[in-house]
Amino acid sequence: MEESKKKWEENTLKNILNQKPERYESFESLSDIEIDRIYLPTKESDEIYLDKLGLPGEFPFTRGVYPTMYRGRLWTMRQFAGFGTSIDTNKRFKYLLANGQTGLSVAFDFPTLYGYDSDHQMSLGEVGRCGVAISSLADMETLFDGIPLDKVSTSMTINGPAAVVWAFYIAAAENQGVDKRKLRGTIQNDILKEYIAQKSWIFPPEPSMRLIIDTFEFGSKELPKWNTISISGYHIREAGSTAVQELAFTLADGLCYVDAAIKRGLDIDSFAPRLSFFFNAHNYFFEEVAKYRAARRIWAKEMKKRGAESPRSMMLRFHTQTAGVSLLAQQPENNIMRTTLQALAAILGGTQSLHTNSFDETLALPTENAVRLALRTQQIIAHESGVTDTIDPLGGSFFIEQLTDKMEEDTYSYFNKIEKLGGVIPAIHKGFFQREIARAAYKYQRQVEQKKRIIVGLNDYRVEGDDKINIELLKIGPEVEKLQHERLKKLRQTRDNKEVKRTLKEVENAAKSEDTNLMPCLIDAAHAYATLGEFREVLVGVFGTYKEATDLF
């Protein structure tokens, strides 16, 4: 016991007392009580604090991935934004940056998510409605016009055509004169959760995995500051999963990517530090906090098992978005309170970046006023609540620690089930994840209908006029689609179509060669102004498309 106490004290002195810099020289409460960086048990009576919790910035990272956490630097404040044309969204980006946002997060419309050009017949009626329309490098250049890409961090929520859209971004940066090695940001690029939950896939799982490992390999060599995947539990939760299912399925997907990269021959420490995660922040406050803490601990242990030696390879860094599925059309102002509680859970859980939903998002794309209010929510928590002055303030709570342990235990139970089915991809083909989520969603819906769970404004505390919309809404008109059609027509007329044909042929040849990384060819074709739909057509010709089995349930 004396030896473990000594070790604890040495680690405390080294990692807690001497880490600099911090945002302020000291942190005090409103009563002038000095707040320590982290709070430890006053008497060492149980090695749980060494084995399960450790210290922030040290294995197993339960208490946070950085030694100073928010005392050193606040999380990145991102507001998911994208609508209409790239011109429209460029204006919104500049508005958000001017109001204190510290990172950009791009929402794409449905045609872009599925790899179609805006003038494809499948795009009719959907252009620019749920995100920004991006059909070529020209659109990407307009999207970031006047925004220096070496100065901002950009997150892009794109999956099926992620490698192509990333190529557009890299090409846009190069055309700005920015060295791609300076680019910071994330492509979501998580195709496994598409088969599990969100359903915006293009290719079958196997070639999709090949594309993702290509981005890992290329990114580790050429874009050392870029996160080449954001392994996403968010959409799994939005589909109706429980918090445990979100945690287990997300980490299982992540480990599947890691194992595939190792099989390719990549050294785990060459790519693992650039893996990131994306979690949901839902309503049950303490469970959400425990979920994030358990996620860090599980990931650290699993990466160590796979041979990771660098501490950065074992750190689970994550972005959080408050739960869109929790927002109500009834009494929409109540969504502000829901978002605030969810954001607080994410921060107490140690998130690295955060998007707070706007209160009007269940009705339409958010207005500027609603977006500003959502951003102010984060800023008020950061600067006025005091929760950022110490690390892991809920750590050591009997409830939180036992809940964290239970979530870890239940996650490993799911890992065992997935392993018995042959792994993640075989489990997808067998409908395992889809069935589990469907059952959870059905159970929750029945609880709401039977008033076993009260949802304020929905199944209780209703008032007359709840169903009337009396707030300003942002609407996307048909002129967006018309403008996009005109832009594409002009692009095809003015570009060098021989160069487009040549570079797309190289993409096709590279796709047919399993030993060739596709990213250099994709970037070359992007520079030639090949369109997203043209990339899709070439790659579908080699890889085919995916259709989900109809007998999953």
Side-chain angles (χ1 to χ4, degrees):
M1 189 61 69
E2 280 300 316
E3 185 179 344
S4 65
K5 182 179 180 182
K6 184 178 179 182
K7 179 182 177 183
W8 178 267
E9 290 172 346
E10 288 174 353
N11 284 339
T12 301
L13 288 173
K14 178 182 177 182
N15 297 294
I16 300 301
L17 301 180
N18 297 327
Q19 286 285 339
K20 296 291 181 184
E22 293 187 333
R23 289 184 294 123
Y24 305 112
E25 289 187 8
S26 63
F27 293 76
E28 295 89 20
S29 72
L30 294 179
S31 302
D32 292 329
I33 299 170
E34 185 169 351
I35 306 299
D36 290 338
R37 182 180 293 180
I38 192 167
Y39 287 84
L40 311 174
T42 54
K43 290 184 179 179
E44 178 65 83
S45 59
D46 192 333
E47 291 197 9
I48 183 175
Y49 287 99
L50 289 172
D51 298 335
K52 289 189 175 181
L53 302 191
L55 299 168
E58 291 192 359
F59 184 88
F61 306 103
T62 311
R63 306 200 74 178
V65 292
Y66 301 125
T68 60
M69 287 300 289
Y70 305 139
R71 284 171 62 112
R73 177 186 172 186
L74 296 173
W75 62 93
T76 300
M77 299 181 191
R78 299 185 188 276
Q79 289 305 112
F80 197 37
F83 64 93
T85 67
S86 51
I87 299 169
D88 301 320
T89 301
N90 176 263
K91 293 177 182 176
R92 176 62 65 86
F93 281 170
K94 290 175 178 176
Y95 172 83
L96 289 168
L97 291 170
N99 276 273
Q101 182 167 307
T102 54
L104 299 175
S105 185
V106 188
F108 297 96
D109 67 2
F110 271 117
T112 305
L113 292 175
Y114 285 94
Y116 291 113
D117 288 338
S118 294
D119 57 357
H120 192 280
Q121 61 179 3
M122 290 294 289
S123 303
L124 183 64
E126 293 290 347
V127 176
R129 290 190 177 273
C130 72
V132 63
I134 299 293
S135 295
S136 72
L137 169 59
D139 287 330
M140 190 67 80
E141 289 175 313
T142 303
L143 182 64
F144 291 99
D145 181 50
I147 301 172
L149 295 182
D150 56 343
K151 305 296 183 185
V152 299
S153 170
T154 304
S155 173
M156 294 183 284
T157 302
I158 193 77
N159 296 286
V164 177
V165 172
W166 192 35
F168 288 161
Y169 187 86
I170 294 169
E174 290 175 337
N175 286 352
Q176 280 190 5
V178 174
D179 182 351
K180 60 180 175 288
R181 298 185 68 83
K182 295 182 179 179
L183 295 178
R184 294 178 297 113
T186 305
I187 39 171
Q188 191 164 102
N189 203 23
D190 176 9
I191 201 62
L192 293 177
K193 69 96 173 53
E194 296 297 327
Y195 306 114
I196 291 172
Q198 198 176 28
K199 313 299 183 183
S200 64
W201 60 69
I202 301 174
F203 317 113
E206 291 77 8
S208 292
M209 288 290 287
R210 179 256 175 107
L211 281 170
I212 289 168
I213 305 307
D214 280 356
T215 64
F216 284 12
E217 185 177 46
F218 183 80
S220 67
K221 296 175 181 177
E222 303 292 337
L223 284 85
K225 297 180 180 181
W226 193 275
N227 300 321
T228 46
I229 195 168
S230 176
I231 304 153
S232 175
Y234 184 84
H235 306 93
I236 292 171
R237 192 65 178 280
E238 293 287 286
S241 80
T242 65
V244 167
Q245 288 171 342
E246 178 193 358
L247 175 60
F249 298 169
T250 305
L251 296 186
D253 287 351
L255 294 172
C256 183
Y257 294 125
V258 170
D259 291 342
I262 293 172
K263 187 177 180 181
R264 169 78 70 89
L266 300 183
D267 177 73
I268 191 169
D269 288 323
S270 74
F271 67 88
R274 303 318 307 173
L275 306 183
S276 66
F277 286 79
F278 175 24
F279 286 113
N280 199 297
H282 215 287
N283 283 338
Y284 199 90
F285 186 84
F286 294 107
E287 184 174 57
E288 296 302 293
V289 176
K291 178 181 72 180
Y292 308 129
R293 300 171 85 252
R296 281 192 293 271
R297 191 157 74 206
I298 295 167
W299 185 253
K301 292 194 295 187
E302 290 301 313
M303 294 299 280
K304 193 170 187 178
K305 281 183 191 176
R306 285 162 170 77
E309 296 181 359
S310 168
R312 293 179 64 244
S313 298
M314 304 177 210
M315 293 179 185
L316 185 147
R317 296 167 300 110
F318 67 99
H319 170 70
T320 311
Q321 180 173 339
T322 56
V325 74
S326 73
L327 303 179
L328 295 185
Q330 299 88 350
Q331 303 176 23
E333 292 87 353
N334 292 345
N335 294 329
I336 298 170
M337 280 72 83
R338 293 186 178 97
T339 296
T340 302
L341 286 169
Q342 293 162 6
L344 184 59
I347 293 160
L348 292 176
T351 192
Q352 275 60 70
S353 68
L354 178 62
H355 164 93
T356 34
N357 289 328
S358 301
F359 73 91
D360 57 356
E361 283 191 53
T362 192
L363 300 166
L365 291 167
T367 61
E368 284 191 353
N369 179 59
V371 168
R372 185 174 61 250
L373 184 59
L375 180 58
R376 293 289 182 260
T377 300
Q378 294 195 48
Q379 292 165 338
I380 288 169
I381 294 173
H383 298 291
E384 299 184 29
S385 70
V387 300
T388 61
D389 289 356
T390 190
I391 300 170
D392 189 29
L394 295 180
S397 155
F398 293 125
F399 180 38
I400 286 293
E401 299 305 346
Q402 291 182 42
L403 194 54
T404 301
D405 290 348
K406 178 60 175 171
M407 297 199 81
E408 182 177 4
E409 177 187 334
D410 290 352
T411 293
Y412 275 102
S413 177
Y414 265 119
F415 283 180
N416 292 334
K417 292 177 183 178
I418 294 165
E419 186 177 354
K420 288 178 182 178
L421 292 168
V424 170
I425 292 177
I428 288 171
H429 288 310
K430 294 170 184 175
F432 169 73
F433 301 104
Q434 298 92 316
R435 284 193 298 273
E436 289 293 305
I437 294 171
R439 288 173 184 144
Y442 177 77
K443 180 179 179 181
Y444 180 83
Q445 182 61 29
R446 290 294 295 155
Q447 289 174 336
V448 172
E449 291 173 357
Q450 296 168 359
K451 287 194 173 184
K452 292 181 179 178
R453 290 193 181 274
I454 299 300
I455 310 298
V456 175
L458 180 67
N459 63 359
D460 208 345
Y461 305 104
R462 297 291 303 270
V463 296
E464 188 176 349
D466 272 352
D467 298 323
K468 293 180 181 179
I469 300 173
N470 56 5
I471 59 175
E472 177 189 0
L473 298 179
L474 174 63
K475 296 183 179 180
I476 304 300
E479 66 276 2
V480 168
E481 194 163 311
K482 182 180 178 181
L483 180 57
Q484 275 297 100
H485 288 191
E486 291 171 354
R487 286 168 61 88
L488 276 167
K489 183 179 180 180
K490 182 178 179 181
L491 176 71
R492 294 189 182 107
Q493 290 172 343
T494 56
R495 69 187 183 178
D496 184 343
N497 284 298
K498 287 185 179 179
E499 181 67 3
V500 172
K501 186 175 181 180
R502 182 192 69 78
T503 55
L504 286 176
K505 185 63 178 177
E506 291 197 356
V507 170
E508 181 182 7
N509 292 337
K512 289 177 179 177
S513 172
E514 293 187 3
D515 296 329
T516 302
N517 191 303
L518 272 159
M519 283 307 305
C521 294
L522 295 178
I523 294 170
D524 286 346
H527 272 300
Y529 291 93
T531 68
L532 182 62
E534 290 167 339
F535 280 106
R536 185 187 199 278
E537 185 177 351
V538 167
L539 293 175
V540 164
V542 179
F543 298 148
T545 56
Y546 178 72
K547 291 185 178 180
E548 189 173 41
T550 57
D551 59 348
L552 295 177
F553 302 99

